[in-house]
Amino acid sequence: MTRELPLDPKRSALLFIDVQNFCVRRDGGEFKAVPDADIIGKYAYYFERLKSVAIPNMVRLQAAFRTARIEVLYTVIESLTRDGRDRSLDYKITGFNVPKGAWDGKVIDELAPGDDEIVLPKSSSSVFVSTHIDYLLRNLNVKQLVLAGVVTDQCVESAVRDACDIGYLVTLVPDACATYSQVRHDNTLRAIKGYCRQVSTEALIKEIGVLRGR
Amino acid sequence: MTRELPLDPKRSALLFIDVQNFCVRRDGGEFKAVPDADIIGKYAYYFERLKSVAIPNMVRLQAAFRTARIEVLYTVIESLTRDGRDRSLDYKITGFNVPKGAWDGKVIDELAPGDDEIVLPKSSSSVFVSTHIDYLLRNLNVKQLVLAGVVTDQCVESAVRDACDIGYLVTLVPDACATYSQVRHDNTLRAIKGYCRQVSTEALIKEIGVLRGR
Amino acid sequence: MTRELPLDPKRSALLFIDVQNFCVRRDGGEFKAVPDADIIGKYAYYFERLKSVAIPNMVRLQAAFRTARIEVLYTVIESLTRDGRDRSLDYKITGFNVPKGAWDGKVIDELAPGDDEIVLPKSSSSVFVSTHIDYLLRNLNVKQLVLAGVVTDQCVESAVRDACDIGYLVTLVPDACATYSQVRHDNTLRAIKGYCRQVSTEALIKEIGVLRGR
Amino acid sequence: MTRELPLDPKRSALLFIDVQNFCVRRDGGEFKAVPDADIIGKYAYYFERLKSVAIPNMVRLQAAFRTARIEVLYTVIESLTRDGRDRSLDYKITGFNVPKGAWDGKVIDELAPGDDEIVLPKSSSSVFVSTHIDYLLRNLNVKQLVLAGVVTDQCVESAVRDACDIGYLVTLVPDACATYSQVRHDNTLRAIKGYCRQVSTEALIKEIGVLRGR
């Protein structure tokens, strides 16, 4: 048995994690109060990584998976109420609240969900804890889960760990992920290498193309 | 220890189950293809029960709980996609599909959810299996769960059983529930009497009023 | 799609529910304080049903499934501690406590688990709520779940409902189940007929035999 | 709201993760085939850390929590069968199998569980995925969870993440944990500092003592 299996399109899905205005846009809820000095200072790596690497790769992934007719899902930080009373204790403590329906909770325009694609609001780091995604993936007959999004060492890593523990074969796409520094990004990739295979956007798109060419 | 505890408004919530066009309206998805002969025949009891007893009582409950500032939630049979590919195996077999966003999936007008109340789409009998309601109730600090809706011996009964098993103190409001015959309704009430206290709409509204009067 | 599928032995398992001294023996915890008058009065049907119908059928089922090399599992009411502090709120209220390791928690001798068969202690009606059986069945690659045991309209019915909701194809064996009266037994079979196929011990053993004969 | 809350003994529990022969002993399943050269080479830090720091601190924690009458639980990597067919896909791929009842699955002697303390066999990194510990903690009325054990950046970190997401206030005791290098240990502590408070054994024992002195 091995984790290093190519995708079976009929048993696969691609999940984008938290690629939403709140935490990807300079004027999103997480950053709008951050002074410019920090945006061009401590957050320079993050926004540059998003712009030059992660978002373009996510856009390519999304297109390739749609073409291959593999299910694409999204999860976003968003409460089910405006005041966030339904949020996790963790998000209450952290002070995260993306009110139901707010712009902050929308997937970024570049990656806008299709009309019949599934978007799951969540209020915890791991999408498996605060949504019923495991139930949905089961109903969709998904066995292999591809993960991309932000930030690599928090919500993405938690999803990798839980997905693996639950029994999915997880493929992480590191160059379609971002976090606040290259060191943090690299550390997490090492830490979770036993829980997932790690494949570049380029290689994964090729893999899917080959599958389609069959 | 006892199940026969009055509600603590700060730890309580009211959940309406499947009170939606699909299964409560004559022109809802479940009944629109049923001939008139059956509507006035085998379904006469059900629709009369809804009109004369269950819906009026649900409306009164909703008003009383809102006045007492107790959380009111709703669950409805509804897929997260239009073609229902995310539905449970059970709903696929049964042939139930309420497409995302359809009129069939809306709570009936008489009981329309408030602007900031939570509505959870589900695709299984028990709301605890196909939604993350347990997580939400935990975040809302709810310990006592009040249940009403349709049909008594299917989705309502499954919710009573799971809620009790999980650790909620369950209050069922039998006269705010309906199923297809009085016999089935009575049988289920007997079968689950060990899992919940059973209180009439009238008595429960009084109980809440007394609490508010404190 | 249909629920009326014969078992695929490689994807099936048989689960016996609460067939343990506590609730099946006259000197088990649930009955030892019950006066003889009630045992030969209100509980006469139950004990007779167990002795003449349900237990003999369970014994036959167990043998047939073992011969067919289909996984056989057991769940029993049992706490993980002696004082039962880990029990569900429901069992605390009801007053059920089978201390860890007690005779009351053992599967009855006639149906003694094999050396490498799985026994899951539980403290709720539904085995899916207070054990991680869903995780185990997934790891065992089980899709079709056969249920038998006691009592039909409580722990067995709750297991049928949850198993169906989760996505298993459920086969209930009514003549390998028992509850306190024929009326209750018949009511529950009708109530849950939409959640499972119902097959007699005789027919199910034949079905497995045919499969083996292939 | 804050994560930096001292323990409320009535709402707290201490969980030891994987402190078992399999992965803590030189002759445990994970290391018995490892050549001496590696044990005194790449694993030198790990075994020294266990011997000099982590195990002594765990022993002190265990004693202090028992004295304070705070629940102490244990989880161990262990299958429910001898051949491990019930294990997670991840453990099957990784090749981990601690057969039911094996010496490898026992908590190490220094930390032997008390007669009425709970030990949960698991087959995934996170104890929350492959056991029903969340249900038990709920029944035990636990809100604050203290974590210690091995290895810091795998099973311990996964437990921190899930416990936090689910809604527990998590206290991690870094000097009662160990992993394969100081760098990995430090990286994980930084990565999860937003999910838990981190307190030394010394400070936590004082905190409990003060509580007891009230």
Side-chain angles (χ1 to χ4, degrees), chain A residues 71 80-83 85-89 92 100 115-118 120 123-124 129-132 135-136 139-140, chain B residues 71 80-83 85-89 92 100 115-118 120 123-124 129-132 135-136 139-140:
Chain A
E71 188 82 26
L80 298 189
T81 53
R82 282 201 303 270
D83 60 10
R85 61 190 183 275
D86 63 289
R87 278 173 305 164
S88 67
L89 177 62
K92 285 173 184 158
K100 176 176 68 169
D115 183 37
D116 205 30
E117 290 176 343
I118 297 171
L120 297 169
S123 81
S124 63
V129 173
S130 60
T131 79
H132 64 309
Y135 190 71
L136 299 174
N139 295 340
L140 291 164
Chain B
E71 188 82 26
L80 299 189
T81 53
R82 283 201 303 269
D83 60 10
R85 62 189 182 274
D86 64 290
R87 278 171 306 164
S88 67
L89 177 62
K92 286 172 184 156
K100 175 175 69 167
D115 183 38
D116 205 30
E117 291 175 343
I118 297 171
L120 298 168
S123 82
S124 63
V129 172
S130 61
T131 79
H132 64 309
Y135 190 71
L136 299 175
N139 295 341
L140 292 164

Side-chain angles (χ1 to χ4, degrees), chain B residues 10 19 22 29-30 38 45 53 63 70 80 96 100 102 144 158 162 165 178-179 181 184 193 200 213:
Chain B
K10 290 192 192 332
V19 194
F22 178 70
E30 201 173 351
D38 283 348
Y45 166 84
V53 181
I70 299 176
L80 299 189
F96 276 3
K100 175 175 69 167
Q144 295 178 282
S158 288
D162 280 346
D165 276 1
T179 187
S181 75
R184 285 178 56 170
K193 70 176 193 298
S200 70

